[in-house]
Amino acid sequence: MTLTMTLVRHGRTHFNARRILQGRCDSPLTRDGRAGVRATARHLAATPFTAAWSSPSGRAVATAVELLRPHAEVPLRTDRGLLEYAFGVYEQRPERVLDDVVAWPELVTDVLAGTHPGLPGGEPAADFMARTRDVFARIAAEHDDGHVLVVGHGLALGAYLATVDEVGLVPLPNASVSTVEVDADGTARITGLALDVAGQGHVAARPMRTPTPVPSVA
């Protein structure tokens, strides 16, 4: 038995468009962001989802609700384990303010390694990586086969993908689609990576690394 997880980053928000850090705070989807999510929904309309999970952040839930319109029979569940990394005092501030303190590649490297102590008022990297591994392990344990939709955030979804394969932090465009297959023995593999089906581009994806996309097998 094999479980397929379709990971979708939330649609573009007003903070994304203005390059403002969100983390645990929130911002509504822009008009363009909503259009992008609808494009992704059309792309996924024929996908046989058997379950759906989302971060409880408003921007993620709004995205998930739109994606599930063609799948009215699939209930949406939320899990705090899918929340974005907490940037502490830097949330609701321009990205450049944090960049002046620590370079994004340096921060991400330490976060993925679980060694960053956390930004002031934020979340230690070890805690973030532990809850990221835990939530996806729980989702996989609850759904040992089928096709599960998971809606979340750029750094949180990217961190999980980095635990599946050594891809670093892949910049995930808003409303982009990645897929992971998990076998019954827990072996996981990425089968689709950062597919920008909505054409949103990298406006709100920090340029850490852009690998060659893995072709989708779906």
Side-chain angles (χ1 to χ4, degrees):
M1 294 186 294
T2 299
L3 169 68
T4 300
M5 291 191 289
T6 292
L7 280 53
V8 179
R9 186 186 175 197
H10 63 78
R12 185 176 299 157
T13 69
H14 287 275
F15 278 5
N16 286 152
R18 295 167 56 193
R19 305 312 300 250
I20 292 175
L21 287 168
Q22 288 179 114
R24 296 295 181 84
C25 67
D26 214 357
S27 174
L29 304 186
T30 63
R31 178 180 299 180
D32 182 56
R34 293 193 297 271
V37 172
R38 288 194 293 270
T40 300
R42 291 191 294 271
H43 175 79
L44 297 174
T47 303
F49 291 124
T50 53
W53 292 84
S54 173
S55 157
S57 292
R59 60 192 184 276
V61 171
T63 299
V65 167
E66 189 65 41
L67 296 177
L68 287 175
R69 289 192 188 281
H71 310 274
E73 74 286 357
V74 179
L76 177 63
R77 300 166 67 179
T78 61
D79 194 302
R80 291 186 59 81
L82 293 169
L83 284 167
E84 181 59 299
Y85 179 71
F87 292 96
V89 300
Y90 294 99
E91 295 193 3
Q92 303 185 64
R93 303 183 71 184
E95 293 174 357
R96 65 178 182 275
V97 174
L98 177 58
D99 292 341
D100 287 342
V101 176
V102 56
W104 180 253
E106 178 183 339
L107 173 64
V108 168
T109 298
D110 290 346
V111 168
L112 295 184
T115 58
H116 197 280
L119 297 167
E123 181 177 22
D127 294 350
F128 169 66
M129 294 303 297
R131 70 171 170 84
T132 297
R133 291 188 178 90
D134 175 69
V135 68
F136 281 97
R138 288 189 285 106
I139 290 173
E142 184 158 344
H143 309 284
D144 52 6
D145 62 1
H147 201 134
V148 177
L149 172 67
V150 182
V151 180
H153 307 271
L155 184 49
L157 294 179
Y160 169 65
L161 290 167
T163 69
V164 175
D165 199 353
E166 294 181 0
V167 293
L169 181 71
V170 177
L172 302 177
N174 288 119
S176 63
V177 178
S178 301
T179 51
V180 174
E181 290 185 350
V182 184
D183 293 333
D185 63 359
T187 301
R189 57 192 168 275
I190 298 171
T191 55
L193 189 60
L195 303 177
D196 188 11
V197 297
Q200 295 287 278
H202 287 81
V203 171
R206 301 303 301 272
M208 175 64 179
R209 181 174 186 269
T210 307
T212 301
V214 178
S216 174
V217 300

